Amino acid sequence: MDVMPQQDPESRRPPEPSQEDPHAQHDPHGPQDPYVMPAEGATAVPPPPPTLRTTLRRAAFGAVAAGVLLAGALVAVPDGKDDRPKEPGPVERAEAAATAGSPASLSDLTALIGDRQKWVEAHPGDAPSWATLGSAYVEWGRRSADAAYFGRAEEALKRSLEAQPGERGNGEAWVGMAALANARHDFLAAKRWGETVRKQDPKTWSVYPVLIDAYTGLGDVKAATGATEKFGELRKGVPALARTADLYRGQGWREDALATAREAADRATAPAEKAEALHRLGELAWERGEPEEAVAQFDAALRTDAGHHASLAGKARALVALDRTDEAVAAYQSVITKLPRPAYALELGELYASLELDGDARSQYEKLAGLLEQAKAAGVDESVVQARYESDHGDPAVAVELLRGQWKKQHRSAAVADALGWALHRAGKSEEGLEYAQQAVDTGVRNASYAYHLGMIERELAQYGPARRHLQEALRTNPAFSPLDAPKAREALETLGEPPPGGPGDMQPPPPPPPPPAPSREPKRESQPVPRPEPKRESPKPKAPAPAPSQTAPAPSKAAPSSPAAVEADASKTP
């Protein structure tokens, strides 16, 4: 298992590209680089040919040496046990992962970047190597949250397309450009790059993951479903299972998502691939409101691949739900140094605020502002995270402006719809925000925050029945979905109270019309109108059943006495 060493993050970064001239000649007498081909014309004058005596002596010595080496090899390695395949190195492992469509470990990815950097210095016209280097830069920047690598990726991919245009078969560079656009959250550009590749060659399996990400970012569920199905046809195994599980999760099919994610985890073998599958199980457990299970899955992912820092952030989130806030703070602080994503900084700031550590919260929000500026400078669009901050802790009007811009760029995913609806509500435009919040919930995704936002907007609009239902749904989905918002959801439910008995008044059936006057003769039973329900009355106490007649008692008289005199006459006959 390849595990990242515990050292300073700077030492794990890929090597910086060399600034040397790639066309410069290398000294043939100096130390030779194994990745650099020898310069032509290094030996202009050939040595003189050897004499016949020298040739015979060398041949005899070579024969003896070969016999000694062969005998030693036979003695040292009997039965041919030396024919075992060589263990792949980090570069080979990274290449194998890319060929399979699976993630590589960060250490293997670092080795691949260093290898390709050296190669393209000596072979500047190698378009496939430039494309591989650019794609590796994208992956490193995405998984390390270092947006500076996206600029290097763009430069490498452009060098690849200059050496060999995409129209002449360099589709991998186009795929790399699509992945770069997704990493920068420019989903419309990613869609254009990806669809260009698919139009040129629909069987290029590597284009479908980037198309899935692009369609998901644009909120095009139908296109994302089609791309996922096509990817599953072209690429079987763990990568297809992982994408299918994500599709089910986004549509709210929890059972299907969990079953598919478990199958992916069971079949994964490489450490990075296994860690990614376990992380997905942790995310599903967290969304179901099962923080203990989530912590277990995230811990398993970190044991499998210590470089899977996103699992540390997931663990911190679950620890908050378990009220282990000291551990959660430590985990958040650790992950932000290794994976400084703005979303994690916002979560830590809100955790501080929930603990009434206002000074720490303000400091964390300042760090968030710095991360957002860095992302913007590197061309990464973090408008959704910034809008979430502005809606609850800053200026909601700024959040509305940011998210309207996203909507105009066709970024209409459930996340954007939810954030826009909440920002409008916070800006005093709840009626307009209701439409977007409802759209986010209608996608089917089981997200407690979406239900909470919709319920609070409905409560503001005096739609108390739907508000109560959605707030209950939020807490039922995940009782600890947010350290700040979950308590507010419970408080809002308590304020709303229980629904009135019998349901809302406007939903009661109208009273039946009064029955017509009864005729002189009682009509047949089947033709009687339905009687009006009478008010409830206290039921009379049931009488005890009469005792059964004795078999030895005399039979009663056939004619009953018809008058008091007859009764007295009968009584006088009694002795």
Side-chain angles (χ1 to χ4, degrees):
M1 182 176 65
D2 183 31
V3 179
M4 288 289 292
Q6 297 297 323
Q7 52 184 320
D8 185 78
E10 290 293 334
S11 63
R12 293 196 298 268
R13 295 181 181 277
E16 297 289 337
S18 174
Q19 302 299 325
E20 297 178 1
D21 184 1
H23 303 285
Q25 297 285 338
H26 292 271
D27 183 3
H29 302 291
Q32 296 297 313
D33 191 333
Y35 298 99
V36 179
M37 299 295 292
E40 297 181 0
T43 54
V45 180
T51 62
L52 178 61
R53 180 179 179 181
T54 302
T55 302
L56 293 175
R57 186 170 65 249
R58 290 178 178 176
F61 179 80
V64 173
V68 172
L69 292 175
L70 178 60
L74 293 175
V75 172
V77 188
D79 300 330
K81 292 183 179 180
D82 193 39
D83 295 336
R84 293 176 299 177
K86 181 183 177 182
E87 289 291 331
V91 175
E92 289 79 7
R93 289 196 299 266
E95 290 176 335
T99 302
S102 300
S105 68
L106 289 178
S107 56
D108 291 351
L109 193 60
T110 302
L112 177 62
I113 289 175
D115 177 80
R116 287 299 180 267
Q117 283 178 349
K118 293 180 180 179
W119 180 261
V120 296
E121 287 175 1
H123 304 81
D126 189 344
S129 292
W130 278 113
T132 300
L133 178 60
S135 298
Y137 278 147
V138 173
E139 184 69 3
W140 177 269
R142 185 183 66 83
R143 292 174 57 187
S144 66
D146 189 346
Y149 278 88
F150 295 153
R152 300 176 187 176
E154 184 174 7
E155 182 180 355
L157 293 169
K158 286 181 177 179
R159 291 287 298 270
S160 177
L161 291 172
E162 289 173 0
Q164 181 183 355
E167 296 86 349
R168 292 169 49 191
N170 193 6
E172 287 306 312
W174 278 349
V175 172
M177 294 296 284
L180 175 61
N182 278 328
R184 287 173 164 170
H185 301 159
D186 188 355
F187 303 114
L188 193 58
K191 172 187 173 181
R192 291 168 180 164
W193 284 111
E195 289 183 345
T196 302
V197 177
R198 184 178 61 183
K199 183 178 180 180
Q200 187 180 47
D201 185 2
K203 293 185 178 181
T204 302
W205 66 265
S206 59
V207 74
Y208 289 96
V210 295
L211 278 175
I212 294 169
D213 291 339
Y215 292 142
T216 302
L218 295 172
D220 192 342
V221 177
K222 182 178 179 181
T225 302
T228 303
E229 292 174 351
K230 187 64 176 180
F231 181 60
E233 295 174 6
L234 298 174
R235 206 69 185 172
K236 307 293 184 181
V238 176
L241 289 170
R243 289 290 180 173
T244 303
D246 290 340
L247 174 68
Y248 292 158
R249 175 185 175 188
Q251 296 182 358
W253 302 343
R254 280 186 171 178
E255 293 77 11
D256 298 296
L258 180 59
T260 309
R262 282 177 175 167
E263 184 179 356
D266 292 340
R267 296 175 60 178
T269 55
E273 184 180 64
K274 186 83 169 182
E276 185 70 18
L278 293 169
H279 175 82
R280 183 175 293 103
L281 289 174
E283 290 287 338
L284 289 171
W286 158 251
E287 291 175 358
R288 293 194 308 270
E290 300 176 3
E292 297 91 347
E293 174 68 14
V295 170
Q297 297 292 353
F298 290 134
D299 277 339
L302 290 168
R303 287 193 301 269
T304 303
D305 183 2
H308 201 275
H309 304 313
S311 291
L312 185 57
K315 179 181 178 180
R317 201 177 298 121
L319 288 172
V320 176
L322 294 172
D323 203 25
R324 295 160 59 180
T325 53
D326 290 342
E327 297 175 68
V329 169
Y332 268 125
Q333 291 173 342
S334 177
V335 74
I336 288 175
T337 62
K338 302 171 182 176
L339 194 63
R341 290 178 177 168
Y344 300 158
L346 177 59
E347 290 178 20
L348 179 55
E350 291 182 340
L351 175 57
Y352 282 140
S354 70
L355 299 174
E356 298 182 353
L357 301 174
D358 297 336
D360 292 329
R362 284 193 298 270
S363 299
Q364 192 61 39
Y365 293 149
E366 291 174 0
K367 293 179 182 178
L368 168 63
L371 292 175
L372 291 173
E373 286 296 327
Q374 293 176 13
K376 184 177 181 180
V380 180
D381 188 352
E382 292 285 1
S383 296
V384 176
V385 177
Q386 184 177 353
R388 286 171 50 199
Y389 164 77
E390 295 290 350
S391 294
D392 288 326
H393 315 290
D395 187 351
V398 173
V400 171
E401 183 179 358
L402 288 169
L403 293 168
R404 287 197 192 279
Q406 292 290 301
W407 203 260
K408 289 179 180 178
K409 292 194 296 185
Q410 300 182 29
H411 293 184
R412 300 178 181 180
S413 64
V416 175
D418 167 73
L420 180 54
W422 185 244
L424 288 166
H425 163 69
R426 295 285 293 173
K429 302 177 181 179
S430 298
E431 291 185 0
E432 186 180 359
L434 178 64
E435 176 184 353
Y436 294 100
Q438 185 69 59
Q439 181 174 331
V441 172
D442 287 345
T443 59
V445 61
R446 303 289 186 89
N447 190 302
S449 292
Y450 296 175
Y452 163 73
H453 288 157
L454 178 57
M456 295 297 283
I457 294 173
E458 290 168 333
R459 176 173 174 262
E460 179 68 21
L461 297 175
Q463 299 180 13
Y464 300 126
R468 184 181 295 105
R469 183 173 67 253
H470 287 116
L471 291 172
Q472 290 174 342
E473 179 185 345
L475 294 173
R476 185 170 55 248
T477 301
N478 187 352
F481 65 92
S482 165
L484 283 179
D485 293 339
K488 294 178 182 178
R490 285 188 286 270
E491 181 182 354
L493 269 178
E494 292 176 0
T495 303
L496 289 172
E498 295 297 327
D506 57 353
M507 295 183 65
Q508 293 290 339
S520 59
R521 181 179 296 180
E522 184 177 358
K524 293 182 179 180
R525 185 177 184 85
E526 58 271 17
S527 62
Q528 287 182 353
V530 178
R532 183 170 51 187
E534 298 180 359
K536 292 184 179 180
R537 297 178 181 177
E538 185 177 354
S539 301
K541 185 176 180 180
K543 296 181 180 180
S550 172
Q551 295 181 356
T552 60
S557 175
K558 292 183 180 180
S562 57
S563 63
V567 173
E568 293 177 359
D570 289 340
S572 63
K573 294 179 181 180
T574 304

